[in-house]
Amino acid sequence: MTENPAHLDAPEHVRSRINTSQPHTARIWNYWLGGKDNYEVDRAVGDQIRQLHPGIGDYARADRLFLGRAVRHLVADRGIRQFLDIGTGLPTADNTHEVAQRIAPESRIVYVDNDPLVLAHARALLTSTPEGRTDYLDADLRDVDSILEHASKTLDLTQPVALMLLGVVIFIEDDAQAYGLVRQLMDRLAPGSYLVLSHTVTHPEMPDVDQAVAFWNEHGTPKLTQRTPEQTARFFDGLEVLEPGVVSCSRWRPEDATDGEPAEVAMFGGVGRKG
């Protein structure tokens, strides 16, 4: 596989922020999903993590499929037409706007990420149907005020919005700050808004996940903070949690359960509604 040159088309201030000598979580995640936006250093560490936890690629895929099912449900069954996707990650197939606009072309999506490589690929996230709109903001999850100020240029924040936080609060080490940021964002969204959140979990039945995360935190960037399934469920405090609750992403409303309940993965997620 050749090294990805796409970032060379980005502005100098973006290129200068991209470190291709150190493994990076977004690029490794992209590698596990079968993407091409990664480097040899990412693939090497990704393979080492997969040796420690052979199922890691499964929960990367489960998280992505969870995104699609959650977005389809919110658009088709709940009438949501606005999405604020923070911690977007590198573009792959079936990004939030693609899933939403396939059902409701008028849907509007604002993507937020502070990874310079994601910024370099942002043009792939800015495609849209003529009826809808997409936008991208280079910002950190902690920048609540600037995120909402920018998002309000594309989204009507007086109307319900789906806040997408897939695999991003794992980068906030302090629990009080992590829970506080999610509450701040949801408090400032309109009644009828939804939270869609996923989180890597520490689980007594999956000890190799802890080993994989420890290896990552020793060798990669940014660092990850695992939480238990119960701690992950706390992000939905005060919200009406949709069935089946905060569960393994593979088990959140699976679309094909003909072979029984899908295998559990160490990535838990849920969807909650603000009353």
Side-chain angles (χ1 to χ4, degrees):
M1 185 181 298
T2 58
E3 297 295 293
N4 170 48
H7 72 277
L8 297 177
D9 295 331
E12 172 57 32
H13 72 280
V14 175
R15 295 199 303 272
S16 65
R17 290 167 53 193
I18 298 175
N19 182 353
T20 62
S21 65
Q22 184 175 26
H24 192 283
T25 181
R27 300 194 306 252
I28 292 178
W29 200 258
N30 176 266
Y31 171 53
W32 287 331
L33 287 172
K36 299 179 180 178
D37 298 318
N38 48 76
Y39 297 85
E40 182 58 38
V41 65
D42 306 308
R43 297 188 286 273
V45 171
D47 287 339
Q48 288 175 288
I49 292 175
R50 190 149 45 192
Q51 287 180 1
L52 292 170
H53 180 44
I56 193 78
D58 293 334
Y59 77 69
R61 288 185 290 273
D63 185 58
R64 196 69 190 179
L65 292 172
F66 165 65
L67 179 152
R69 295 195 300 273
V71 171
R72 282 193 293 274
H73 174 70
L74 292 179
V75 175
D77 299 331
R78 301 277 173 160
I80 295 297
R81 298 293 184 268
Q82 303 189 110
F83 293 83
L84 178 57
D85 189 332
I86 304 177
T88 302
L90 288 165
T92 60
D94 283 345
N95 299 295
T96 298
H97 74 283
E98 294 169 325
V99 177
Q101 292 180 346
R102 197 174 295 145
I103 302 169
E106 71 276 18
S107 298
R108 295 182 167 218
I109 295 87
V110 173
Y111 292 107
V112 181
D113 206 298
N114 68 339
D115 185 332
L117 190 60
V118 178
L119 177 59
H121 287 262
R123 61 186 179 276
L125 296 169
L126 296 178
T127 59
S128 176
T129 58
E131 303 92 333
R133 186 176 170 188
T134 60
D135 196 8
Y136 180 89
L137 173 63
D138 179 21
D140 188 276
L141 171 62
R142 300 169 183 85
D143 302 330
V144 173
D145 290 337
S146 61
I147 287 173
L148 293 176
E149 179 182 359
H150 183 93
S152 67
K153 299 174 183 177
T154 300
L155 310 177
D156 180 357
L157 298 185
T158 68
Q159 298 298 313
V161 173
L163 173 64
M164 311 288 292
L165 295 174
L166 274 73
V168 62
V169 289
I170 60 176
F171 301 120
I172 307 294
E173 180 179 6
D174 182 81
D175 285 344
Q177 184 182 29
Y179 294 123
L181 287 168
V182 175
R183 282 195 299 271
Q184 285 179 55
L185 285 161
M186 290 304 299
D187 284 348
R188 293 173 64 176
L189 297 179
S193 292
Y194 288 83
L195 170 65
V196 182
L197 181 145
S198 66
H199 199 297
T200 304
V201 297
T202 180
H203 198 299
E205 297 180 9
M206 302 176 184
D208 51 348
V209 177
D210 297 338
Q211 298 172 34
V213 170
F215 180 87
W216 169 257
N217 285 342
E218 181 179 352
H219 298 278
T221 184
K223 308 304 180 187
L224 306 179
T225 297
Q226 287 176 283
R227 294 181 171 92
T228 65
E230 293 75 21
Q231 290 172 320
T232 300
R234 279 186 54 196
F235 286 104
F236 294 89
D237 284 356
L239 304 177
E240 173 198 349
V241 180
L242 306 189
E243 292 293 337
V246 181
V247 297
S248 168
C249 285
S250 59
R251 295 180 175 178
W252 195 91
R253 304 191 179 202
E255 293 168 344
D256 184 6
T258 55
D259 296 329
E261 191 172 41
E264 192 171 54
V265 298
M267 177 69 77
F268 274 46
V271 179
R273 181 182 183 275
K274 177 180 177 178

